[in-house]
Amino acid sequence: MKIFNFYTGLKIAVTALAITTCSAFATHPNLVITQSDVEKMRSALNQSGRFNDRYLELKQQVDQQLAFGIVVPLPKDGGGGYSHERHKKNYQLMYGAGIIYQLSKEQKYADFVRDMLLEYAALYPTLDVHPKRKVKSQNPGKLFWQSLNEAMWLVYTIQAYDLVVETLTDQDINDIEHKLLRPVALFLSQGQPSTFNKVHNHGTWATAGVGMAGYVLGEPQWVEKALYDLDKSGKGGFLKQLDMLFSPQGYYNEGPYYQRFALLPFVTFAQAIAHNEPERKIAHYRDSILLKAIDTTIQLSYNGLFFPINDAIKSKGIDTIELVHGVTVAYGLTGDTGYLDIAQQQGQIILSGDGLEVANALDEGLATPYQFRSVAFGDGSQGDEGALVIMRSKPNGEQALLFKPASQGLGHGHFDKLTWQFYDKGQEIVSDYGAARFLNVEAKFGGRYLPENNSYAKQTVAHNTVVVDEISHFNSDVKQGNKHAPTLNFFETSEYGSVSSGQINTAYEGVELERTLALVELKELGSTIAIDLYSVNASQPHQLDLPLHYKGQFIDSNFDLNTQSQQMTALGKKNGYQHLWLRAQARPEKGVAKVTWLNENGRFYTLSSLVNGEESFLFTQVGANDPNFNLRNEHGFIRRVKGVNRHQFISILEPHGEYNPSKEYTLVAQSRLSALSHTQQGELTLIELTVADKPYLIAINNNKDASKRSFKYKNQSYSLDGHLGVYLMTNI
């Protein structure tokens, strides 16, 4: 791997024009794009290739907007409303026009940015806080309903100004800086210290915008405050955010959805730091944490979409503009051709120095397959607050299992300790609801998080993990959740597949939850199964519920259902249960209870569970007590046991068969698992199962050290080296 100073590093050698001190801030452009970048990019114009194509595409888009004219409306709408979207479009348009000016040197583009900035300079001093400001606990903007959007506006707008300032008169500069840019920067910093100093994605956007403004406007103290917080104590600020919000492996505390959102201000401000003050060596800060964060963001995806844990919009994926910037930067830093594979899938080129390198490399056909891995990403700033575990099947990663013995994730976190999700053939099979929100759809609660985000989506029963006495983890208290994280007992990937174990004893008083999940390769059958072992140990008797939410159409169960076909009632009154219709219930006999469903990918899935004859199965549908139809009507079932101190839920998830309605055939619609049993030898868990008439023994060593050991089962000797072993049994 090549190592460079961030973005420019050794690629753009230190020259007489290099900006090394804050006194040199007057050189423009000096943020994301430098004059050296501009010269290289101009040489690529009027030539066939991706970079020129993107330039022409952006130029056409900007030209269309220039013909439409400048519109700077009075702020009045919340997220998704006209004025909100117009101001958002304006900052993107100014940024695009600034780039086109630098590459074409056509004055009309600079004039457009100037004229729009002057319109804002006339409007901004007249504004009070936004009329649709969010709840009192969040700081409002003036142009936007929340200061987060105001900071995003500044991040883009200060770059646009940097790109055209060389064309402006002294009077224009005075008006734009003193009536607009400086007031916005001061409003976001001194005017809102609680957000500016906060270790949170809102703080990241604010510090990035103000710090970049400091470089452009010649305010070195703004840069220092952006880096170290308002009093420069180091208790907040951009560097503290790099320290606290990412684990040592680059996992962002709030989860993948907010990791990609925060990525843009992180990489953009870092680029500005590197161009202006290379001596800070921001590329190497905290063992190159930003490069790790970019790569980790890619790893946190399946089939192009991010794993939807915590408050996540499920349609967000690797083509999001924040990660397009990130991948462009990562390739510029490393030259790793695997990033070109992701860039090719994204189908977008950034008009920057690094973007030119990506475009040229793609034109030359240098992309190689990006390697997705089975990995446990430690959570928390020290990596010791549990982990987010990804298991992928071999050799192509068609199947993925996500296990979450991870921390709360601040205010956007959900009460879902030890939950899991499963993916196959490009689709979600065992699902997570994600966020209850229609982003920027103003008709749906102003585009904000819906009330049901708190009353259902965040509650434990909305996830695939144990609920005790119908009470969510930490009693739905975010502050308590942030204080306590699960423990990752172990994670291992080997020729047999992947296995991981985690536990927590603080989600409920006097209750220990421990879960082991494995994605196991049955090589003789060319198939993969998931194993789920969930143990609950409590000091008092409790009701235990283990939900499983699935994507697809219920097909069959091997036990009779008492179905509510005429009238349904809600399963409970609070903690998310009030939003679940009870569709059917059953109590399977002792043995193996099976539930099968068909996913839209054309494959069948069966969950086979060992039951003792005392478990109830409750089949549910989301949508009760939802008068405005805010919730998606998704399906699931809950395994319930009552009055127990100790219990172990044991299940096997088995993909099988194929349904092709177009060609009118169905293959293997029935589960191939015909036998399942479980025994314990000290710390060794042994699971015997027969699939397609082949008997397997699966051994899981729960000792954290997992030293090599031998054991006997049914008079046969076996050797286990590590946490997971898979054996095709003979002589039984």
Side-chain angles (χ1 to χ4, degrees):
M1 176 183 291
K2 297 184 293 180
I3 299 296
F4 300 104
N5 287 335
F6 208 52
Y7 306 177
T8 46
L10 299 180
K11 295 185 299 176
I12 303 175
V14 178
T15 68
L17 295 177
I19 301 167
T20 58
T21 68
C22 290
S23 62
F25 289 171
T27 302
H28 302 281
N30 73 330
L31 293 176
V32 174
I33 297 171
T34 66
Q35 192 58 45
S36 175
D37 292 330
V38 170
E39 292 170 3
K40 293 177 182 177
M41 289 189 288
R42 284 180 191 155
S43 68
L45 302 183
N46 301 315
Q47 300 181 25
S48 62
R50 285 175 170 84
F51 191 85
N52 188 63
D53 290 346
R54 174 55 185 151
Y55 166 75
L56 294 175
E57 179 186 26
L58 180 61
K59 187 174 184 296
Q60 182 183 37
Q61 293 170 358
V62 173
D63 285 341
Q64 289 173 349
Q65 291 298 316
L66 263 62
F68 182 72
I70 293 172
V71 180
V72 179
L74 189 69
K76 65 176 183 177
D77 303 306
Y82 169 72
S83 64
H84 176 98
E85 291 303 307
R86 186 67 254 175
H87 290 301
K88 179 179 175 182
K89 183 72 174 178
N90 282 349
Y91 69 65
Q92 295 169 337
L93 183 57
M94 285 190 286
Y95 176 68
I99 291 175
I100 298 301
Y101 163 71
Q102 282 291 336
L103 296 183
S104 69
K105 285 301 180 183
E106 291 186 50
Q107 187 62 34
K108 66 177 181 178
Y109 298 105
D111 290 347
F112 178 79
V113 177
R114 176 201 65 200
D115 292 345
M116 186 174 287
L117 287 172
L118 289 172
E119 288 283 340
Y120 274 106
L123 174 66
Y124 199 78
T126 71
L127 298 178
D128 197 353
V129 292
H130 197 280
K132 289 289 184 72
R133 53 189 175 275
K134 297 186 73 174
V135 293
K136 293 180 181 179
S137 62
Q138 293 182 306
N139 285 324
K142 291 186 176 183
L143 293 169
F144 298 91
W145 63 343
Q146 57 178 341
S147 60
L148 168 64
N149 300 99
E150 208 104 335
M152 296 169 71
W153 182 94
L154 183 58
V155 166
Y156 279 87
T157 301
I158 196 63
Q159 292 180 74
Y161 182 70
D162 179 49
L163 291 164
V164 303
V165 66
E166 65 187 33
T167 71
L168 303 181
T169 66
D170 290 345
Q171 185 62 52
D172 290 338
I173 290 172
N174 183 72
D175 289 345
I176 292 168
E177 291 191 6
H178 291 281
K179 295 180 181 179
L180 180 64
L181 297 178
R182 290 176 181 274
V184 173
L186 292 173
F187 174 72
L188 292 172
S189 54
Q190 295 177 14
Q192 298 191 339
S194 61
T195 295
F196 190 79
N197 291 336
K198 192 174 186 178
V199 180
H200 186 269
N201 72 76
H202 288 211
T204 305
W205 281 97
T207 54
V210 172
M212 291 164 69
Y215 282 128
V216 175
L217 304 180
E219 291 285 358
Q221 288 305 306
W222 290 7
V223 177
E224 292 299 306
K225 290 177 179 180
L227 292 173
Y228 297 107
D229 84 14
L230 285 173
D231 63 7
K232 294 181 280 189
S233 68
K235 295 179 180 178
F238 187 75
L239 296 182
K240 191 68 172 180
Q241 291 161 3
L242 286 174
D243 289 336
M244 300 303 296
L245 289 177
F246 293 103
S247 76
Q249 292 168 280
Y251 174 70
Y252 186 74
N253 187 254
E254 294 179 287
Y257 179 80
Y258 278 92
Q259 174 146 343
R260 64 88 209 165
F261 178 66
L263 200 60
L264 185 58
F266 273 118
V267 298
T268 302
F269 189 25
Q271 188 169 11
I273 294 168
H275 286 163
N276 286 275
E277 300 180 276
E279 68 274 13
R280 290 189 187 271
K281 297 183 179 179
I282 193 67
H284 303 290
Y285 187 81
R286 205 183 162 207
D287 195 24
S288 304
I289 192 65
L290 278 175
L291 180 59
K292 292 179 180 179
I294 294 167
D295 191 69
T296 295
T297 308
I298 303 170
Q299 290 289 338
L300 294 170
S301 67
Y302 173 83
N303 193 30
L305 296 177
F306 296 122
F307 292 117
I309 63 169
N310 296 339
D311 283 343
I313 305 300
K314 301 179 78 168
S315 57
K316 282 288 186 182
I318 61 172
D319 62 347
T320 185
I321 190 62
E322 297 90 349
L323 189 56
V324 175
H325 280 274
V327 168
T328 301
V329 167
Y331 180 72
L333 280 168
T334 67
D336 185 339
T337 53
Y339 290 122
L340 297 176
D341 179 20
I342 302 301
Q344 197 160 254
Q345 294 178 50
Q346 292 170 330
Q348 301 173 66
I349 295 297
I350 301 298
L351 297 182
S352 67
D354 288 332
L356 176 61
E357 288 194 17
V358 169
N360 289 342
L362 288 174
D363 289 342
E364 294 172 22
L366 300 181
T368 58
Y370 179 84
Q371 299 300 310
F372 286 95
R373 312 188 303 275
S374 294
V375 60
F377 289 112
D379 200 355
S381 61
Q382 303 303 313
D384 56 0
E385 298 178 26
L388 188 67
V389 179
I390 304 169
M391 308 181 201
R392 301 185 193 269
S393 62
K394 300 174 182 178
N396 56 9
E398 181 182 52
Q399 294 162 324
L401 189 159
L402 185 77
F403 179 34
K404 194 190 177 193
S407 67
Q408 182 66 29
L410 305 177
H412 287 298
H414 288 192
F415 302 100
D416 60 350
K417 302 307 99 179
L418 309 186
T419 190
W420 72 302
Q421 299 160 45
F422 184 77
Y423 297 80
D424 186 24
K425 292 188 68 176
Q427 298 294 323
E428 193 176 17
I429 309 302
V430 176
S431 62
D432 188 284
Y433 191 88
R437 183 185 189 184
F438 290 81
L439 181 64
N440 283 347
V441 180
E442 191 176 23
K444 275 292 189 184
F445 207 63
R448 303 189 294 273
Y449 286 102
L450 295 160
E452 290 79 9
N453 197 58
N454 288 326
S455 62
Y456 179 70
K458 286 190 175 186
Q459 300 297 325
T460 305
V461 75
H463 303 87
N464 307 301
T465 188
V466 163
V467 189
V468 176
D469 297 330
E470 299 187 25
I471 300 171
S472 288
H473 296 171
F474 308 111
N475 200 21
S476 306
D477 187 328
V478 174
K479 290 183 179 180
Q480 286 300 311
N482 285 329
K483 292 178 181 178
H484 305 284
T487 299
L488 178 68
N489 293 329
F490 58 80
F491 165 76
E492 177 183 281
T493 186
S494 68
E495 61 179 305
Y496 303 114
S498 299
V499 62
S500 185
S501 174
Q503 67 183 66
I504 188 169
N505 60 11
T506 51
Y508 300 100
E509 185 176 354
V511 179
E512 181 177 81
L513 308 175
E514 183 173 5
R515 191 172 213 168
T516 300
L517 284 156
L519 190 62
V520 174
E521 313 283 344
L522 303 180
K523 295 180 180 179
E524 294 79 9
L525 298 176
S527 61
T528 304
I529 61 170
I531 297 175
D532 181 18
L533 309 172
Y534 204 137
S535 299
V536 182
N537 293 308
S539 58
Q540 305 267 339
H542 293 281
Q543 173 185 292
L544 308 177
D545 289 345
L546 179 56
L548 185 132
H549 301 271
Y550 64 89
K551 288 285 192 179
Q553 176 65 47
F554 174 85
I555 295 296
D556 194 17
S557 65
N558 69 344
F559 50 87
D560 294 332
L561 303 179
N562 178 15
T563 304
Q564 311 301 311
S565 57
Q566 298 296 318
Q567 185 175 3
M568 295 185 298
T569 58
L571 186 57
K573 296 183 178 180
K574 57 183 180 179
N575 300 324
Y577 284 79
Q578 76 275 23
H579 292 301
L580 294 173
W581 291 118
L582 178 60
R583 297 292 308 273
Q585 51 190 318
R587 178 166 290 187
E589 296 180 356
K590 182 178 181 180
V592 180
K594 294 188 176 186
V595 178
T596 300
W597 65 95
L598 173 65
N599 187 266
E600 64 180 32
N601 66 13
R603 185 172 284 181
F604 298 92
Y605 299 87
T606 296
L607 190 81
S608 298
S609 304
L610 277 178
V611 296
N612 58 10
E614 299 298 321
E615 280 190 34
S616 296
F617 276 58
L618 311 175
F619 289 78
T620 62
Q621 179 179 317
V622 180
N625 292 298
D626 182 19
N628 296 312
F629 306 107
N630 287 338
L631 292 168
R632 302 188 300 271
N633 302 133
E634 299 184 352
H635 301 281
F637 55 90
I638 297 173
R639 295 172 62 185
R640 171 173 286 180
V641 293
K642 292 184 176 182
V644 296
N645 297 69
R646 300 168 62 89
H647 189 76
Q648 187 171 39
F649 296 97
I650 299 174
S651 299
I652 306 291
L653 180 65
E654 170 200 1
H656 57 91
E658 181 183 356
Y659 173 59
N660 191 317
S662 175
K663 296 183 179 180
E664 298 186 5
Y665 68 80
T666 301
L667 301 173
V668 195
Q670 301 292 327
S671 165
R672 298 187 298 172
L673 187 149
S674 57
L676 174 65
S677 62
H678 161 265
T679 58
Q680 199 74 31
Q681 290 186 14
E683 293 183 313
L684 198 64
T685 299
L686 302 175
I687 299 169
E688 182 182 340
L689 65 158
T690 301
V691 181
D693 298 325
K694 292 187 180 296
Y696 288 92
L697 178 66
I698 298 172
I700 298 175
N701 187 352
N702 297 294
N703 188 300
K704 295 180 181 180
D705 296 332
S707 56
K708 187 172 183 179
R709 59 175 296 172
S710 299
F711 65 95
K712 285 191 174 182
Y713 182 76
K714 291 188 175 180
N715 297 319
Q716 296 291 312
S717 295
Y718 298 91
S719 178
L720 176 61
D721 187 7
H723 287 289
L724 178 66
V726 181
Y727 314 93
L728 184 63
M729 300 173 66
T730 57
N731 301 322
I732 62 168

